[in-house]
Amino acid sequence: MPNSPILIVDDEPGNLATLKQILGNDYELVFARTGQECLNATKKHKPALILLDIQMPDMDGYTVCKTLKADTETESIPVIFVSSLSEIGDETAGFDCGGVDYIIKPVSSALVRARVRTHVSLVRTTILERYVKQLEIEQAKTARLSRIHAVLSGTNSAIVRIREPQALLEEACHIAVEQGGFGIAWIGIVNDLDNSFKLTASQGVNLEQMSASLIPEAGGIATEPDIPEQVLKTGQATYCNDVRIKAHVDHSCRDALDRGYLSIVGLPLIANDKLVGVMVLYARESNYFDDEEMKLLSELAGDMSFALLAINNEKRANFLSYFDALTALPNTSLFLDRTDQLIQAAYRENYGVFVIAINLDRFKHLNDTLGRHIGDHILKLVAKRLVDGLPGHYSVARIGADNFAILGELASNADVSATCEQVISLLQEPMLIDAARTQVLARMGVAIYPNDANSAESLFKNAEAALKQCKLQKKRFQFFSWEINARISDMIEMENMLKTGLDQNQFVLHFQPKIDLRTGQIIGCEALIRWQHPERGLLPPAAFIALAEETGLIVPIGTWVIHAVCAQQSAWLRDGLHIVPVAVNLSALQFKEGNVLEIVGEALSKNNLGPESIELELTESTVMQKPEDAEVIMHAFRAHGLSLSLDDFGTGYSSLAYLKRFPFNTVKIDKAFVTDITQNPEDAAIATAIIGMAHSLHMSVIAEGVETEAQLKFLRARNCDQIQGYFFSPPVPAIDFATMLLDDKQLAPEVDMEQQTLLLVDGEEAILAALRRSLRGQGYRILTAPDSQKALELLAINPVQVILCEQRLSKMTGSDFLTVAAKLYPDTMRIVLSGYTELQSVLDVINRGEIYRFLTKPWDDELLRQNISEAFRRYRPSVNQ
């Protein structure tokens, strides 16, 4: 808005001309001659300031101003009335309707310029204050969310290792206080026998003292249920973001306030659809809990509830051998046993049997969107509706994550169709969960004994085959037919063609550039596979990757990709091309095989390449399947010099607690958050948070799927490091990508971007040359000096932001030189690089704030580039520079 125009509104052309003459040389101006034109122009141009006449033909200036102030989009735009009406009452009316100033015609040029300059300055100051305040809010929120993620991670770890309820409750309170930053955490449990409520675990306060403080005093002033009572009554999470407001009516709020806390939340603990306890957390700040915090805390409560239920169910091991723990329905083993028994009876009595395999359509999306706790609630509601709604002689089972099955005696196909319709009706009825209204749709496959199979396993297998066909055809239910088997045969044929494609080298690679947003240069690319099918032409990954993953062929295909990328890099080098790192996607199955490092090492060695030639991309879901094993494997990758990129970040676990454990170099923002980044505030907030979080962990950030200039500018403004997408280039064949590198195709650099200048100081020319090679392609202007004297001369005549200096120089030590540089050029970021461990002299200047960082020789290229990049990012020039 500070660069927005000034809108001048007057029905007299002469007045417009006068104001244009006064302000035109200093400001961008737009004009309107009526009140309605003013309103339209305000919507269109979003002016920084409006100069408004009062007497106009269609509506007067007072009405126009009131209309602007009533609209949330325009209410903050300051309005200066410029009118010939000079009575005191006229000015008062102007201020009453929202004006910020009043100038009487005929106008004084000096007065107009002064008033406009003052109000434009106020606008800029106000916007800056809003930005700083919003930034502080975002930073505080990110910190809170990070702490709650840490609580989730720590609690889940405790759930895995602790199998005793009391110990688990105590550990959960401990984690909430020590890792989550809450001041007090306590848990109360409901007694099954008399429904009494008793505190059983606490942290941050003595358990007996807390128990006593929560008992209302005789004649107390509380007039409504306190937070724990509300949770016990409703079974819903309840919070108060300012206990001062309710301290006189809510005993728990009064207790929190007396202890110096301003926010409180109560979380329900539920087992077997029954509320068994409450977890209460106290926070120092007011307004601590919002929707995002509550979603994470609800997941925490859900995890605790699940753990308590699981511990209790361990005492029913025999039950769990045959029933699903979440829904209490028969599991697959018991379902097949009952099916076998019913088939044997049907054979003797000469009747039919049907099996219906059910899948909940788009359940994964609901689970990811609403959270696992909500997903579990949905599954339990589905089970209850099926059991309560279907005839009692039917057997209902849960046979997988989002799969159920129904077994019954067959009267006719029409009756089975009616049962399917009944299931659809039962499940499509909306569900209200935690005030969220959702709906579940089901798809079903039906198989019938004896027509389709004569054994329990075959009957169930054919019902699943019918379900697969049902999902492919987007139908609600599908009866098994041998035609379905034919289609499955087609899938087998496709699998065989994939094998042939591998054997006959029918796959090709396309390459999509990665662009450095700071320099605009191509600094890498991603290899994307295509299948040059002899009959169907060039097939995209969507046509075969899913089948490859399902059949396990993704492993040899992935191996081919790694070797093909290295062979292509070697070919480019032979052609004299300056190559850039090529990223390769690793599938979950490929990563699980555990021999990726061996394959990559073999491919690099075969083509005489270093590890910097290739980058490995892994998705969140891949590394989170077994995070401990993944961490070991990834550290082995890094130990061999390989760069790692976290692909599709934000679509899976997105846990800071896990992310900081894994040695990623780069985080990729998924296209799902980029597509609407300039339209959807949530996507914008997520992308901004990912950038900040990654930078705080010293990782680079690349946004994929960038297709518009608006997306590019948004990401660049938020310090995203790299982009990838159709805005710069689609994936292209190897020859076209080589042409891009040869032609030095670049993205236009940021307008008015000052070149970053780095000064290297070392007495050995070989070291300076090696440093320049290490920093090649980073876009820096690099100056070199063999000694401190030459370095100081360069500093005197060049704007330098970062200095990298060898500790042992000929005339003075590097730390002494940097001490001088710090006094002469305090804004510079100063780094010592040395193969010697004279730590005391270095520590002294570090402690005085004269050195930003200390690096040792021999250096790691990637670590060096990261430190230099971080130094430039932290560089802040003085205001008077």
Side-chain angles (χ1 to χ4, degrees), residues 486-527:
R487 293 192 182 97
I488 295 175
S489 297
D490 291 341
M491 292 179 62
I492 295 174
E493 181 184 359
M494 185 69 166
E495 179 181 350
N496 291 332
M497 286 193 291
L498 269 176
K499 293 177 181 177
T500 301
L502 266 174
D503 294 338
Q504 298 183 0
N505 202 29
Q506 294 174 358
F507 295 101
V508 296
L509 293 177
H510 283 195
F511 301 84
Q512 187 170 40
K514 297 179 180 179
I515 312 303
D516 188 322
L517 282 181
R518 181 170 44 80
T519 66
Q521 295 178 322
I522 298 174
I523 60 169
C525 66
E526 180 178 1

Side-chain angles (χ1 to χ4, degrees), residues 72-242:
T72 55
E73 290 185 16
T74 58
E75 64 178 349
S76 62
I77 301 175
V79 175
I80 299 177
F81 286 100
V82 182
S83 175
S84 59
L85 300 177
S86 58
E87 298 294 332
I88 294 178
D90 300 323
E91 293 187 29
T92 302
F95 288 115
D96 287 344
C97 67
V100 298
D101 210 336
Y102 196 104
I103 300 175
I104 298 173
K105 300 177 184 176
V107 298
S108 161
S109 299
L111 179 64
V112 170
R113 289 194 189 95
R115 298 281 180 89
V116 168
R117 184 168 56 250
T118 297
H119 287 289
V120 167
S121 176
L122 288 173
V123 168
R124 290 173 176 160
T125 302
T126 301
I127 289 176
L128 180 60
E129 290 173 350
R130 290 175 185 167
Y131 172 80
V132 172
K133 183 176 181 180
Q134 184 61 33
L135 184 61
E136 292 173 348
I137 292 172
E138 291 291 339
Q139 290 174 337
K141 183 175 182 179
T142 299
R144 291 203 306 272
L145 289 176
S146 298
R147 291 196 296 270
I148 296 177
H149 274 295
V151 173
L152 273 172
S153 176
T155 302
N156 286 330
S157 175
I159 288 172
V160 170
R161 70 177 188 274
I162 299 175
R163 310 310 303 162
E164 200 280 319
Q166 181 61 33
L168 178 61
L169 298 180
E170 292 173 355
E171 181 65 9
C173 291
H174 175 79
I175 292 170
V177 172
E178 297 301 322
Q179 298 184 29
F182 294 101
I184 292 176
W186 60 263
I187 296 175
I189 297 297
V190 178
N191 188 304
D192 285 337
L193 299 178
D194 58 7
N195 284 329
S196 61
F197 183 71
K198 180 181 179 181
L199 271 66
T200 58
S202 68
Q203 183 72 21
V205 66
N206 180 272
L207 188 64
E208 289 73 20
Q209 290 179 353
M210 176 57 72
S211 298
S213 68
L214 291 178
I215 300 175
E217 299 177 1
I221 58 174
T223 59
E224 62 181 52
D226 61 19
I227 296 291
E229 289 172 338
Q230 292 179 53
V231 177
L232 291 171
K233 182 178 180 180
T234 65
Q236 304 292 320
T238 304
Y239 64 91
C240 177
N241 267 331
D242 193 338

Side-chain angles (χ1 to χ4, degrees), residues 813-863:
T813 65
S815 54
D816 289 340
F817 161 69
L818 291 179
T819 297
V820 175
K823 294 177 181 178
L824 294 175
Y825 307 102
D827 293 333
T828 54
M829 303 299 291
R830 299 166 293 278
I831 304 173
V832 169
L833 176 67
S834 179
Y836 300 92
T837 55
E838 299 172 353
L839 291 181
Q840 187 56 51
S841 60
V842 175
L843 286 174
D844 289 341
V845 290
I846 290 177
N847 290 336
R848 295 197 301 269
E850 293 161 355
I851 291 181
Y852 162 64
R853 190 150 293 175
F854 175 74
L855 304 177
T856 60
K857 293 180 181 177
W859 63 84
D860 175 88
D861 283 352
E862 179 63 26
L863 184 60

